[in-house]
Amino acid sequence: MKKLVFIVVFFVPGFLMADNDKGVLSSFFQKYGDNQEFTYVNLTPKLFEMFATMDSEEDEGMINLIKSFTSVQLLSADSTGKSNAYYKEVQNLIDGNMFDELAVIRDGDENVKILVKEANSKISELLVVVSGSHNFVLVDMVGNIDLKDLKKLSKIKMNGMKYLEKADEKN
Amino acid sequence: MIKRLIILFIVLAPMGAQSQSQAVRDVFDKMPSGNKYFFYPSTLRALSGDSKQFLEFVKDVENIKLMIANEDEKEAIGLLDVKKIEGALTTEGFTEMMSLREGNARVIVLEHDGTTVALLNAKNTLGIVELEGQINVAAGLKMLQEGELPIDQFKSFWEKEKPKKKSKEDAKQNKNN
């Protein structure tokens, strides 16, 4: 693993929650959360609730964006021979769960899929799945995210997030 | 990697702890004084390097208490299993706010009734952090986005101050005292 993933964290308003706080891939995160092959990050609703009580006058745009999160989970493997298998496993869990493909990107040896559950330009769940020849990344963000804020999300320094800028261009 | 976890642990994990839980107090009481660190505003300013964002991030922090134990010390004071501490915190009503695991190193932050406790468990290290005061969330966010973490300063501090390896007898003696 090259670097520890530095995570950015924030808040959430108590309304317009997603169907559930953990997202449709909670079983996948449970299965691999303790797997040494992965780095695992779990930001719970309790954390976002706590941030919601903090005031800040700075960087209001980003703070407001983060207010729209309920939970964030990330699994990242930098050196794995099972990337395709993980990708298919995620795809099987997603099938039939009302996700729309926002973007499919090929970047070098990485295949990236960005999926959303969206209604009225509001995203209740955002998935970023990255499958490379030796790496795999899964990001699952649950909340009430404005579709027009996708590009802002790409600035968060977390594996896989850079592709949201490309998704925004395609959108 | 462990150092990065420790830095993250110090800087990000505690969000606004008000007082110690009993489980945390028990662990601190058992630890030799050389393994406990207290970061006051002046210390944090010294560690900030030239990072204005870091200074802004910690400006309302009253103090940070940090305890680090190596493998021998963990064994000598009966802290082999961090799960026991986590279990004791859960019994007190603490619930998980966030966790991060990389390899066999794990950071977990728990909260209960205004008290926040962060535990770091790595192969050779156990750490506990308590923070009094508030961090500036926006400054922290900006600092992370701009990669302005004063990592070198924290590394230097850690290299200078990290617990010296003590014998089990020393640790046991300290425990008895």
Side-chain angles (χ1 to χ4, degrees), chain B residues 12 50 60 64 69 73 107 142 165:
Chain B
L12 281 183
D50 294 324
D60 294 323
I64 297 173
E73 291 156 347
V107 173
K142 208 166 179 180
K165 196 163 185 173

Side-chain angles (χ1 to χ4, degrees), chain B residues 84-96:
Chain B
K84 284 184 183 172
I85 303 170
E86 205 177 311
L89 287 165
T90 304
T91 303
E92 289 179 29
F94 282 79
T95 53
E96 179 181 335

Side-chain angles (χ1 to χ4, degrees), chain A residues 16-30:
Chain A
L16 291 171
M17 296 288 192
D19 292 345
N20 69 62
D21 287 343
K22 282 292 187 183
V24 299
L25 292 171
S26 55
S27 61
F28 189 87
F29 285 105
Q30 273 191 334

Side-chain angles (χ1 to χ4, degrees), chain B residues 3-17:
Chain B
K3 285 175 186 171
R4 275 185 178 271
L5 262 181
I6 290 168
I7 291 159
L8 176 74
F9 174 61
I10 294 168
V11 173
L12 281 183
M15 296 306 179

Side-chain angles (χ1 to χ4, degrees), chain B residues 42-56:
Chain B
S42 56
T43 331
L44 293 168
R45 277 196 297 276
L47 287 171
S48 69
D50 294 324
S51 172
K52 289 179 184 173
Q53 290 302 333
F54 183 79
L55 285 172
E56 190 65 21

Side-chain angles (χ1 to χ4, degrees), chain A residues 106-118:
Chain A
R106 181 157 180 90
D107 184 17
D109 70 344
E110 289 186 334
N111 290 304
V112 184
K113 195 174 270 191
I114 298 170
L115 304 112
V116 292
K117 270 187 187 176
E118 181 250 332

Side-chain angles (χ1 to χ4, degrees), chain B residues 15 34 37 40 51 70 75 79 94 104 119 127 146 154 157:
Chain B
M15 296 306 179
Y37 304 94
Y40 296 98
S51 172
N70 64 29
E75 186 180 343
L79 292 175
F94 282 79
N104 56 18
L119 303 173
E146 295 172 2
F154 275 92
F157 171 83

Side-chain angles (χ1 to χ4, degrees), chain A residues 14-68:
Chain A
F15 55 92
L16 291 171
M17 296 288 192
D19 292 345
N20 69 62
D21 287 343
K22 282 292 187 183
V24 299
L25 292 171
S26 55
S27 61
F28 189 87
F29 285 105
Q30 273 191 334
K31 184 175 176 183
Y32 295 108
D34 287 330
N35 187 321
Q36 301 280 306
E37 194 174 36
F38 290 99
T39 292
Y40 174 54
V41 177
N42 180 30
L43 309 180
T44 71
K46 191 176 180 88
L47 176 72
F48 290 100
E49 285 165 18
M50 186 166 174
F51 272 102
T53 65
M54 295 181 177
D55 293 325
S56 176
E57 294 169 359
E58 291 183 43
D59 209 353
E60 198 173 333
M62 182 58 94
I63 295 295
N64 283 334
L65 167 62
I66 303 306
K67 279 182 180 179
S68 64

